Amino acid sequence: MTILSYVLAFLVAIGVLVAVHEYGHFWMARRMGIRVLRFSIGFGKALWERKGADGTEYAIAAIPLGGYVKLLDEREGPVDPAIAAQAYNRKSPWARIAVLLAGPLANFLFAVVAYWVLFVAGIPALKPVLGEVTADSVAARAGLNSGDEIVAVGSRETGTREAAVLALLDELMNGRAIELAVRDEQGETRRTSLAIEGDRRALTEPGALLPGLGFDFWYPVVPARVGKIMPGSPAERAGLREGDLIAAVDGAPVADFPALVALVQPKPGSTLDFTVERAGQSLRVPIEVEAQREGERLVGRIGVQPAAPGDLPEGMRTLERYGPLAALARATDKTWDMSVLTVRMLWNVATGDVSVKNLSGPINIAEYAGFSARQGILAFLSFLAIVSVSLFVLNLLPIPILDGGQIVYQVAEIAKGSPLSERAQAVGQQVGLLLLLVLMSFAFYNDLSRLFS
């Protein structure tokens, strides 16, 4: 059921974002006086179709992994002379550029609208307050302490943990020391810097940034009390019950739930002796730890979830909420900042300064889609906004098979005074397809590595 929910969420996300993108092309083509022959969401056999009064065929096809807008074009076959003036190839290069830009810009505007809804509704978040700081780490040498709050990275204010992480990553790519403004528990603000020596690229691998800098954010203590037992899990078979407090594993005391995880995860396939406190009694329960894949490693699990830690302190929580006009400005800024960061990440991946492991394929995207959908409509909308920004940037890359590459063709025609030869365009398409296949291969490899390595 989990896999099915992920697949459904992924298909909904792709369907929505492709429809937005293709509608951008469709809308602008109509404004430029270009006849639209077909507007399809999906590929392959049509599951539903109808012909509008404008002569356009509208369809939903069986393979929901894309879509297209087919325009009247004399290069693709004979055209009735009565409507030849409405052909795409008859329009000026500037009109064609407008049509090509409209798809990516529709994705940009969708992200703005999505973030606007989120900012008007209010996005609950946690402040970037530091928890444990690793001794002799980059953070420790910079004088950071547990309880410090990161209030700015470089020139950017960081009111949330997400903002702090994105700003740290952005500054990391500059190749300089990362300037911070932090506020201690007494309310005093000071400036410091993270001097990073050695391989910065290693810090850009997924999940490596904060551990590499030597700190994590503060989280409340979660007791090692069983809140939920997964059906069919080792814990259920061993007889654990909700409310049980796990006091020790193989004689090692368990201070909290993360300590329990740290003792169980490294021992997949082992049988461990659990000391459990239940109704004033101490019980010994042997449990065979199940081996599960998590990303790129094999970990041990017994199938329990912790009891709720209780409410977070008010000082740790924040809510990003704005009025309608202020939310529009904030949403536009957010979309632009995410777009610039995406461009910088792609450029640094290409130059080797950022790990290629950051490229995600459909498997990883489907996992995020399913996870966000299960968190609620606002979380799913946030996911859609992020992916829409990615589509905006990726489609503007100067790769001939993408919108950006086609725009390059039109600019070349303006500079040359005549269209590029069919041979030149064909070679460009082949090169573009090869580049796209290389990019997709890296993304698929990363997805499969997370599953099977």
Side-chain angles (χ1 to χ4, degrees), residues 93-293:
W94 293 111
R96 285 178 249 147
I97 288 173
V99 173
L100 292 166
L101 280 174
L105 287 177
N107 286 124
F108 184 90
L109 292 175
F110 177 88
V112 171
V113 172
Y115 281 127
W116 178 83
V117 171
L118 291 169
F119 286 131
V120 168
I123 305 175
L126 298 177
K127 293 182 179 180
V129 176
L130 272 57
E132 182 179 355
V133 177
T134 306
D136 197 33
S137 63
V138 173
R141 290 192 291 272
L144 297 182
N145 301 305
S146 177
D148 286 344
E149 179 183 351
I150 301 174
V151 295
V153 176
S155 59
R156 283 168 292 185
E157 295 183 358
T158 52
T160 67
R161 297 182 180 185
E162 179 197 22
V165 170
L166 292 177
L168 285 169
L169 183 59
D170 198 17
E171 291 293 317
L172 180 69
M173 291 186 288
N174 288 332
R176 303 187 299 268
I178 301 175
E179 302 295 326
L180 299 180
V182 298
R183 182 166 51 232
D184 63 24
E185 293 180 287
Q186 287 70 46
E188 297 291 330
T189 301
R190 68 185 189 279
R191 299 200 69 86
T192 185
S193 62
L194 300 173
I196 301 170
E197 300 175 357
D199 185 13
R200 286 174 172 253
R201 182 178 177 278
L203 296 180
T204 67
E205 294 195 3
L209 179 60
L210 298 187
L213 294 176
F215 72 89
D216 198 356
F217 292 122
W218 179 90
Y219 291 95
V221 174
V222 180
R225 189 175 298 280
V226 177
K228 183 179 180 181
I229 299 175
M230 308 307 292
S233 65
E236 184 182 62
R237 293 194 297 270
L240 284 189
R241 300 178 186 173
E242 293 183 7
D244 285 349
L245 180 66
I246 300 174
V249 175
D250 276 354
V254 175
D256 52 27
F257 200 85
L260 172 64
V261 172
L263 289 170
V264 173
Q265 273 196 349
K267 299 179 180 179
S270 302
T271 298
L272 303 178
D273 189 25
F274 286 71
T275 302
V276 177
E277 295 181 2
R278 178 190 300 164
Q281 295 183 321
S282 182
L283 309 174
R284 295 181 62 186
V285 182
I287 302 178
E288 183 177 351
V289 179
E290 187 174 73
Q292 293 186 6
R293 296 283 179 185

Side-chain angles (χ1 to χ4, degrees), residues 224-410:
R225 189 175 298 280
V226 177
K228 183 179 180 181
I229 299 175
M230 308 307 292
S233 65
E236 184 182 62
R237 293 194 297 270
L240 284 189
R241 300 178 186 173
E242 293 183 7
D244 285 349
L245 180 66
I246 300 174
V249 175
D250 276 354
V254 175
D256 52 27
F257 200 85
L260 172 64
V261 172
L263 289 170
V264 173
Q265 273 196 349
K267 299 179 180 179
S270 302
T271 298
L272 303 178
D273 189 25
F274 286 71
T275 302
V276 177
E277 295 181 2
R278 178 190 300 164
Q281 295 183 321
S282 182
L283 309 174
R284 295 181 62 186
V285 182
I287 302 178
E288 183 177 351
V289 179
E290 187 174 73
Q292 293 186 6
R293 296 283 179 185
E294 182 181 87
E296 300 181 357
R297 56 183 181 149
L298 195 66
V299 300
R301 296 265 172 80
I302 61 171
V304 298
Q305 294 179 0
D311 290 337
L312 289 165
E314 190 63 33
M316 290 291 175
R317 293 182 292 175
T318 185
L319 182 68
E320 283 194 283
R321 176 180 284 166
Y322 304 90
L325 290 179
L328 180 60
R330 179 71 183 92
T332 305
D333 288 343
K334 172 83 170 177
T335 305
W336 179 253
D337 289 344
M338 293 294 291
S339 301
V340 171
L341 179 62
T342 303
V343 171
R344 294 194 66 198
M345 287 286 290
L346 286 172
W347 174 255
N348 281 275
V349 166
T351 59
D353 295 323
V354 166
S355 173
V356 73
K357 292 181 180 180
N358 287 284
L359 297 176
S360 293
I363 298 174
N364 200 38
I365 294 172
E367 289 181 344
Y368 280 115
F371 177 77
S372 63
R374 295 173 73 177
Q375 304 306 304
I377 185 62
L378 293 181
F380 189 59
L381 189 60
S382 178
F383 165 79
L384 289 178
I386 293 170
V387 178
S388 198
V389 167
S390 297
L391 290 176
F392 163 67
V393 172
L394 290 174
N395 275 284
L396 288 178
L397 292 178
I399 298 175
I401 202 171
L402 300 175
D403 294 326
Q406 295 299 313
I407 291 171
V408 171
Y409 283 168
Q410 310 311 315

